[in-house]
């Protein structure tokens, strides 16, 4: 444990970073080329993602913020003060700030794989909320969900805003929710924001903003491969594509080759036909019934759901 300040106890679980090289070489060798979305988030990718959150078409942050603000008191009555609030993939720790003053947790455990970002966010949070005991945990929450030693006793409540669950494929999301159930134990809670199925044009616009930030975010993966893995992707020969796949209930993001070409990465060569693509992300959308069924199968029961008037997004509070 590393004490960053009187109220911050930093725990480094030393996440094993799945090698970017291994994942890219393996993914590009598959019949359907693919690269897992977690590799979007290098420094530039994280900045581009922050910029996506500001795009008018990407409704998720605004709708969720309005819901959390409007129902903060109601949420806090269900959670009760003194809980231990745990946030996997906490990033900039922005959303939790909408709740802290009404929830009054005894401790907050932000979890993130990005060590420096986690430290900075925890320090910023501590300055704003000097009363809050913070136990940042550096780990890859998709691989392990461990709690730091020394956290206070209290009801454990996991907070997953931003529809992050949507980026897991169905078998993984079930596994992840079951892991959360084990972490909170019976009586624990899960407060989660989930994007809903809706008019396809709204979904398609959210992942194809007119400012082109989503496209830059997607293409940055190739820039990252070029700089970190001695790649020679020509960004003018690949196009961003994102569309709602109705059958699968998900937005799919692809990088589409606009011509026949060969690309070199770490000394290996990969052929692309015209129109062939690298599958870079899925973002699943759930109707309330679908999500509640999924949560039930992992041992959670619904306590309350809040939605906006247009039924774009829902926040759920579930009990383990
Ligand atoms: C992080 N995640 C919830 C975002 C989403 O909507 O699936 C990632 C994203 N990809 C493109 N735009 C946003």
């Amino acid at each position: 444990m590393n004490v960053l300040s009187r109220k911050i106890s930093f725990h480094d679980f030393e996440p094993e970073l799945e090698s970017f090289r291994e994942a890219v070489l393996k993914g590009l060798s598959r019949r359907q080329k693919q690269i897992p979305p977690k590799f979007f988030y290098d420094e530039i990718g994280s900045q581009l993602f922050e910029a996506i959150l500001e795009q008018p078409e990407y409704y998720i942050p605004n709708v969720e913020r309005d819901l959390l603000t409007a129902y903060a008191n109601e949420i806090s009555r269900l959670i009760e003060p003194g809980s231990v609030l745990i946030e996997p993939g906490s990033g900039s720790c922005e959303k939790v700030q909408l709740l802290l003053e009404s929830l009054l947790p005894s401790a907050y455990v932000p979890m993130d794989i990005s060590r420096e970002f986690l430290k900075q966010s925890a320090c910023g949070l501590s300055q704003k909320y000097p009363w809050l005991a913070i136990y940042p945990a550096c780990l890859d929450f998709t691989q392990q969900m461990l709690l730091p030693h020394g956290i206070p006793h209290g009801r454990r409540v996991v907070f997953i805003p931003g529809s992050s669950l949507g980026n897991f494929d169905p078998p993984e999301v079930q596994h992840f929710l079951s892991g959360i159930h084990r972490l909170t134990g019976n009586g624990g809670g899960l407060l989660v924001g989930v994007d809903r199925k809706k008019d396809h044009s709204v979904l398609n616009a959210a992942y194809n903003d007119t400012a082109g930030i989503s496209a830059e975010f997607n293409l940055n993966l190739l820039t990252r491969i070029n700089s970190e893995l001695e790649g020679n992707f020509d960004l003018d020969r690949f196009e961003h594509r994102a569309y709602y796949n109705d059958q699968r209930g998900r937005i799919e993001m692809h990088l589409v080759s606009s011509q026949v070409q060969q690309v070199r990465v770490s000394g290996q060569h990969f052929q692309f036909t015209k129109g062939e693509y690298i599958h870079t992300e899925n973002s699943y959308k759930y109707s309330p019934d679908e999500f509640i069924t999924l949560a039930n199968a992992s041992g959670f029961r619904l306590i309350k759901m809040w939605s906006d008037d247009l039924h774009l997004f829902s926040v759920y509070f579930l009990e383990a």
Side-chain angles (χ1 to χ4, degrees):
M1 187 180 74
N2 180 350
V3 179
L4 294 182
S5 84
R6 213 167 51 82
K7 284 284 199 181
I8 307 181
S9 312
F10 179 79
H11 291 251
D12 196 341
F13 289 102
E14 299 178 355
E16 236 183 73
L17 299 179
E18 183 190 355
S19 143
F20 182 39
R21 187 185 310 271
E22 243 171 71
V24 168
L25 294 179
K26 197 168 116 197
L28 293 181
S29 305
R30 295 174 66 128
R31 201 142 61 99
Q32 170 54 69
K33 294 178 171 59
Q34 62 183 62
I35 300 176
K38 67 176 173 184
F39 294 111
F40 279 135
Y41 301 92
D42 65 345
E43 211 179 310
I44 296 174
S46 301
Q47 284 166 9
L48 287 168
F49 181 62
E50 292 297 316
I52 287 178
L53 299 177
E54 310 264 300
Q55 298 313 301
E57 297 92 337
Y58 194 71
Y59 53 85
I60 292 181
N62 289 342
V63 179
E64 187 177 50
R65 187 182 316 112
D66 289 350
L67 287 174
L68 293 175
T69 307
Y71 297 110
N73 287 335
E74 200 180 329
I75 293 171
S76 62
R77 281 196 294 277
L78 294 173
I79 293 181
E80 295 176 2
S83 63
V84 174
L85 192 61
I86 302 158
E87 184 176 354
S90 48
S92 56
C93 302
E94 284 274 330
K95 300 260 172 66
V96 75
Q97 297 185 38
L98 300 169
L99 297 173
L100 285 175
E101 266 151 12
S102 36
L103 282 190
L104 297 173
S106 63
Y108 171 56
V109 185
M111 296 175 163
D112 211 285
I113 194 165
S114 170
R115 194 168 283 108
E116 287 317 308
F117 193 35
L118 178 66
K119 284 185 182 172
Q120 276 172 24
S121 306
C123 288
L125 198 68
S126 186
Q127 276 168 6
K128 280 195 182 167
Y129 304 89
W131 50 268
L132 182 65
I134 308 177
Y135 294 80
C138 181
L139 50 79
D140 179 352
F141 73 87
T142 64
Q143 304 293 323
Q144 48 171 195
M145 289 268 284
L146 300 169
L147 285 177
H149 289 297
I151 57 163
H153 294 292
R155 185 187 196 195
R156 294 176 179 175
V157 176
V158 172
F159 177 47
I160 309 181
S163 202
S164 311
L165 280 186
N167 297 127
F168 287 95
D169 282 328
E172 294 169 14
V173 78
Q174 195 76 71
H175 179 75
F176 180 61
L177 287 173
S178 303
I180 290 177
H181 191 282
R182 277 194 298 280
L183 187 84
T184 65
N186 286 338
L190 171 62
L191 182 66
V192 57
V194 181
D195 199 15
R196 292 173 64 145
K197 289 196 158 77
K198 60 182 67 68
D199 189 327
H200 301 182
S201 63
V202 176
L203 286 167
N204 287 329
Y207 293 82
N208 291 284
D209 54 275
T210 47
I213 311 292
S214 300
E216 261 189 81
F217 173 72
N218 199 7
L219 284 158
N220 179 58
L221 197 52
L222 303 183
T223 310
R224 183 174 179 200
I225 294 174
N226 286 349
S227 64
E228 292 182 31
L229 307 179
E230 304 113 55
N232 71 345
F233 277 101
D234 180 345
L235 270 66
D236 292 332
R237 296 180 179 184
F238 283 87
E239 275 158 24
H240 161 75
R241 177 169 69 200
Y243 72 100
Y244 184 65
N245 180 333
D246 191 22
Q247 228 179 350
R248 297 195 178 238
R250 67 191 193 194
I251 285 281
E252 293 189 11
M253 287 219 312
H254 301 159
L255 286 163
V256 188
S257 172
S258 55
Q259 54 186 268
V260 173
Q261 56 183 316
Q262 187 186 61
V263 176
R264 195 188 62 242
V265 178
S266 295
Q268 292 192 29
H269 292 90
F270 299 95
Q271 309 294 333
F272 285 85
T273 56
K274 184 172 176 193
E276 189 178 355
Y277 61 91
I278 310 172
H279 192 156
T280 51
E281 188 176 60
N282 290 323
S283 189
Y284 285 83
K285 311 299 169 187
Y286 293 99
S287 69
D289 279 353
E290 285 170 335
F291 183 69
I292 294 163
T293 305
L294 188 70
N296 288 160
S298 302
F300 286 99
R301 71 184 176 97
L302 178 70
I303 302 295
K304 181 92 203 196
M305 179 187 90
W306 301 270
S307 297
D308 59 295
D309 293 343
L310 298 176
H311 306 299
L312 296 173
F313 193 87
S314 297
V315 172
Y316 301 79
F317 182 62
L318 304 120
E319 199 168 81

